[in-house]
């Protein structure tokens, strides 16, 4: 039996997660080994922890249901930031990822879903379906394209009520299985931050919406009948303090409340399993993953940390800013899609003036009846912010609304305050596009959706192989978050058995950064023959 007493040897035993770990005492010295001491030997067993490979974290039912290896998901990031390359990379590594369809035109979404269908075939992935109360046709188009391209899972977000198109997606996948039960071919993962919204997805589809879909031929009579026994969601992601739209509720408060609601309603999805709960918001370190699972989450969802990955569909300049973010570098700013209601989103505050400029726009909107009533000094300040005249911005806004939302254009032409809102929305919408595409001369105006998990991730990865943006592959992020979480779960088991973990082994170790080759030094390593 090989017993390790030195720090590196003990860490090697603890971090070999596919093997059991035994803490033993030999001759008065405590050490670690993979071999169980034989009864009657001079080696005393003090504590043991079984194998805990990362894919065993969380709910095995989640992985089985979605056809993936781990209970890990990368949530959608709007505007295609979680794009095809990110989704493909994670899917091929055995994780679930959601394509960020929100805000994309139909042509771009059609192209993306076609590409994912070709590249992934039957492998699992999801597409974001965002509630669009001001543009229901966008929601309808997204569902139509998901059905056309055989997308078998949608991540439903921002829903405050169920809509005919979301219900249509869910119900058109229902059929009776050979055993007489119900099989749901279209899976729904609902992202929520309020109990009342969670309840919508824990219950079956509302009968009035089912009847409406049946009357117009959107579903079959059999599907309408089966709808009564199936909740609207297979999984519910409980979103705490996250980037973008967020209620900033603590996960430790919100997740147990949703779990109690789920258990009280007693809803199960096809297969008889309870609706599973995921944790999102603030998931940026292995300890955060382990804590979410200990809190009762069946799976974890990452977001902000993936935006800084190599595969993310945003600009290299934004990724460098994200890699410099600290824990306190996120602030709230007005949201483009719900500007008039005063709704805010969480964005990166460091390296951009967007939050303060957007905040000023909302104050102007709140305090004035229209653009013409603004003081001259504010008019000049607006034009400096916009980089062009207000009239030019209005013309661009008019051209956009004429093609996509003519009813809003009519209202804006008649209502000065609504016209002001549309002009200010132009800036908010363009700010995110300037960031995604990396328009350098608009860097001060970049809107970068980001939560505090990014700062925690940067602190954890400092001085490691993941510190540099060019080495932050999305699969490496997932791998080390899960391996680190499994490592800390193992430490918790041993601590519960009374083991004192040495300080040198109390943290999961990331790989060290590569050593740069010195100029003029010849590489004498043997090379593989061609």
């Amino acid at each position: 039996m090989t017993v390790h007493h030195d720090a590196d040897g003990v860490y090697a035993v603890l971090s070999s997660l596919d093997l059991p770990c035994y803490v033993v005492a030999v001759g008065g010295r405590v050490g670690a080994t993979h071999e169980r001491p034989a009864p009657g030997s001079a080696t005393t067993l003090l504590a043991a922890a079984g194998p805990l490979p990362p894919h065993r974290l969380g709910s095995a039912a989640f992985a089985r249901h979605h056809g993936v290896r781990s209970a890990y998901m990368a949530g959608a990031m709007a505007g295609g930031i979680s794009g095809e390359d990110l989704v493909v990379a994670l899917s091929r590594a055995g994780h679930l990822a959601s394509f960020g369809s929100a805000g994309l035109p139909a042509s771009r979404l059609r192209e993306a879903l076609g590409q994912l269908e070709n590249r992934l075939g039957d492998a699992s992935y999801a597409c974001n379906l965002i509630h669009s109360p001001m543009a229901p046709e966008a929601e309808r188009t997204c569902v139509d394209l998901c059905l056309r391209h055989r997308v078998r899972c949608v991540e439903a977000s921002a829903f405050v009520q169920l809509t005919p198109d979301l219900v249509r997606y869910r119900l058109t996948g229902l059929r009776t299985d050979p055993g007489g039960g119900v099989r749901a071919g279209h899976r729904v993962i609902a992202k929520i931050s309020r109990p009342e919204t969670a309840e919508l997805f824990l219950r079956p589809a509302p009968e009035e919406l089912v009847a409406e879909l049946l009357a117009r031929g959107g579903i079959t009579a059999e599907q309408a009948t089966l709808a009564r026994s199936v909740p609207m969601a297979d999984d519910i992601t409980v979103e705490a303090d996250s980037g973008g739209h967020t209620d900033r509720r603590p996960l430790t408060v919100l997740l147990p409340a949703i779990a109690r609601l789920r258990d009280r309603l007693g809803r199960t999805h096809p297969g008889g399993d309870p609706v599973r709960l995921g944790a999102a918001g603030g998931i940026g370190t292995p300890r955060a993953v382990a804590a979410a699972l200990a809190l009762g989450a069946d799976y974890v969802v990452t977001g902000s940390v993936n935006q800084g990955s190599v595969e993310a569909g945003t600009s290299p300049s934004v990724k460098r800013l994200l890699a410099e973010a600290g824990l306190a570098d996120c602030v709230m700013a007005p949201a483009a899609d719900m500007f008039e209601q005063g709704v805010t989103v969480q964005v990166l505050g460091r390296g951009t003036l967007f939050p303060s400029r957007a905040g000023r726009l909302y104050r102007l909107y709140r305090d004035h009846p229209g653009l013409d009533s603004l003081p001259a000094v504010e008019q000049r300040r607006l034009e400096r912010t916009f980089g062009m005249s207000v009239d030019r911005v209005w013309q661009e806004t008019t051209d956009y609304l004429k093609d996509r939302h003519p009813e809003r254009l009519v209202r804006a032409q008649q209502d000065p305050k609504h016209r002001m809102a549309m002009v200010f929305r132009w800036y908010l919408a363009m700010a995110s596009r300037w960031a995604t595409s990396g328009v350098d001369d608009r860097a001060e105006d970049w809107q970068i959706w980001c939560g505090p998990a990014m700062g925690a991730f940067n602190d954890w990865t400092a001085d490691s192989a993941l510190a540099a943006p060019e080495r932050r592959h999305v699969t490496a992020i997932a791998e080390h978050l899960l391996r680190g979480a499994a490592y800390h779960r193992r430490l918790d088991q041993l601590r519960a058995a009374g083991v004192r973990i040495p300080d040198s082994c109390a943290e999961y170790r990331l790989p060290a950064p590569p050593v740069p080759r010195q100029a003029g030094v010849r590489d004498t390593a043997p090379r593989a023959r061609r």
Side-chain angles (χ1 to χ4, degrees):
M1 172 186 292
T2 302
V3 179
H4 297 273
H5 300 281
D6 62 292
D8 288 342
V10 171
Y11 180 83
V13 173
L14 291 172
S15 61
S16 297
L17 299 167
D18 292 328
L19 298 173
C21 170
Y22 300 100
V23 178
V24 299
V26 186
R29 298 181 66 198
V30 176
T33 179
H34 293 306
E35 303 172 65
R36 187 181 185 91
S41 69
T43 303
T44 303
L45 177 62
L46 302 178
L52 187 57
H55 69 266
R56 283 177 46 188
L57 293 174
S59 167
F62 176 89
R64 183 171 60 252
H65 189 73
H66 291 285
V68 293
R69 181 171 169 79
S70 68
Y72 177 97
M73 179 179 179
M77 293 178 284
I81 293 174
S82 53
E84 297 94 319
D85 289 343
L86 185 148
V87 171
V88 168
L90 284 170
S91 178
R92 288 176 176 169
H95 311 298
L96 188 63
S98 181
F99 177 77
S101 65
L104 295 179
S107 57
R108 172 72 178 92
L109 180 56
R110 184 182 302 110
E111 174 191 359
L113 294 184
Q115 187 181 143
L116 289 171
E117 185 178 21
N118 291 333
R119 294 173 67 179
L120 290 176
D122 291 331
S124 290
Y125 64 94
C127 177
N128 184 217
L129 175 63
I130 191 166
H131 183 38
S132 305
M134 300 296 291
E137 66 281 356
E139 194 176 318
R140 187 175 310 118
T141 297
C142 184
V143 168
D144 288 342
L145 290 173
C146 284
L147 294 175
R148 182 181 307 167
H149 291 283
R150 300 185 302 119
V151 177
R152 293 186 294 275
C153 181
V154 299
E155 182 189 28
S157 58
F159 281 84
V160 294
Q161 61 184 11
L162 300 180
T163 63
D165 288 297
L166 174 60
V167 174
R168 174 167 64 97
Y169 176 84
R170 178 63 161 172
L171 300 192
T172 52
L174 297 182
R175 64 184 186 276
T176 305
D177 66 23
V182 182
R183 181 172 297 176
H186 295 156
R187 304 185 300 274
V188 173
I189 301 174
K191 184 184 292 184
I192 62 92
S193 59
R194 296 171 179 266
E196 58 269 28
T197 309
E199 187 167 352
L200 296 175
F201 288 95
L202 287 166
R203 296 186 180 278
E207 291 188 4
E208 60 272 19
L209 287 183
V210 176
E212 176 186 332
L213 288 168
L214 180 60
R216 70 183 195 210
I219 59 173
T220 67
E222 179 188 34
Q223 289 165 344
T225 301
L226 295 177
R228 300 189 186 105
S229 59
V230 178
M232 273 299 298
D234 303 88
D235 306 276
I236 291 179
T237 298
V238 180
E239 186 177 38
D241 194 4
S242 64
H245 283 289
T246 177
D247 287 336
R248 307 187 82 180
R249 286 183 171 81
L251 188 65
T252 52
V253 173
L254 189 58
L255 183 59
I258 303 302
R260 287 193 296 272
L261 175 64
R262 186 268 315 271
D263 296 342
R264 187 166 66 247
L265 293 176
R267 293 297 180 185
T268 62
H269 53 65
D273 296 323
V275 174
R276 292 172 296 267
L277 301 181
I283 309 295
T285 65
R287 289 182 183 271
V289 174
L293 295 173
L295 199 58
D298 296 300
Y299 61 98
V300 294
V301 180
T302 53
S304 295
V305 298
N306 299 321
Q307 187 173 192
S309 70
V310 172
E311 293 81 6
T314 193
S315 66
S317 299
V318 163
K319 294 174 185 179
R320 287 193 291 272
L321 277 181
L322 288 168
E324 298 169 357
L327 289 171
D329 285 339
C330 295
V331 297
M332 304 303 292
D337 55 347
M338 302 182 76
F339 174 78
E340 296 94 316
Q341 293 81 10
V343 174
T344 57
V345 289
Q346 189 157 210
V347 298
L348 185 66
R350 176 174 179 164
T352 170
L353 297 178
F354 169 79
S356 60
R357 290 176 174 177
R360 190 177 73 251
L361 293 184
Y362 180 73
R363 290 190 294 274
L364 291 175
Y365 171 79
R366 182 193 61 197
D367 297 340
H368 297 275
L371 292 168
D372 293 341
S373 68
L374 295 178
V377 64
E378 293 293 353
Q379 293 272 5
R380 291 192 295 271
R381 186 180 293 178
L382 276 183
E383 296 193 348
R384 288 196 299 271
T385 297
F386 294 159
M388 61 179 74
S389 68
V390 174
D391 288 341
R392 171 79 180 277
V393 172
W394 171 239
Q395 184 58 54
E396 290 193 7
T397 305
T398 298
D399 294 341
Y400 174 84
L401 294 175
K402 187 184 302 181
D403 292 337
R404 295 171 177 81
H405 306 289
E407 72 287 350
R408 293 190 205 173
L409 177 58
V410 172
R411 181 183 169 190
Q413 290 169 333
Q414 299 172 348
D415 181 350
K417 196 170 185 71
H418 188 63
R419 177 183 175 183
M420 177 165 57
M422 293 297 101
V423 168
F424 290 173
R425 276 194 182 198
W426 171 92
Y427 172 77
L428 301 179
M430 292 302 298
S432 61
R433 296 175 193 172
W434 291 328
T436 302
S437 56
V439 180
D440 290 335
D441 61 355
R442 300 308 305 252
E444 290 185 345
D445 299 288
W446 286 351
Q447 178 181 187
I448 304 168
W449 303 302
C450 183
M454 192 74 248
F457 180 84
N458 290 334
D459 183 64
W460 169 53
T461 59
D463 302 320
S464 77
L466 291 183
E470 62 271 17
R471 294 188 174 276
R472 291 182 171 182
H473 289 281
V474 72
T475 51
I477 292 171
E479 174 194 353
H480 289 296
L481 284 175
L482 290 173
R483 287 195 63 82
Y487 180 81
H488 285 290
R489 289 287 290 268
R490 170 169 276 186
L491 296 191
D492 289 341
Q493 284 182 276
L494 296 174
R495 288 190 181 104
V499 175
R500 180 188 175 281
I501 304 298
D503 292 345
S504 58
C505 299
E507 290 288 340
Y508 171 74
R509 301 177 187 176
L510 284 164
V515 178
R517 185 185 301 174
Q518 296 180 4
V521 176
R522 184 179 178 183
D523 185 357
T524 58
R527 299 181 183 276
R529 293 184 179 179
R530 294 183 179 272

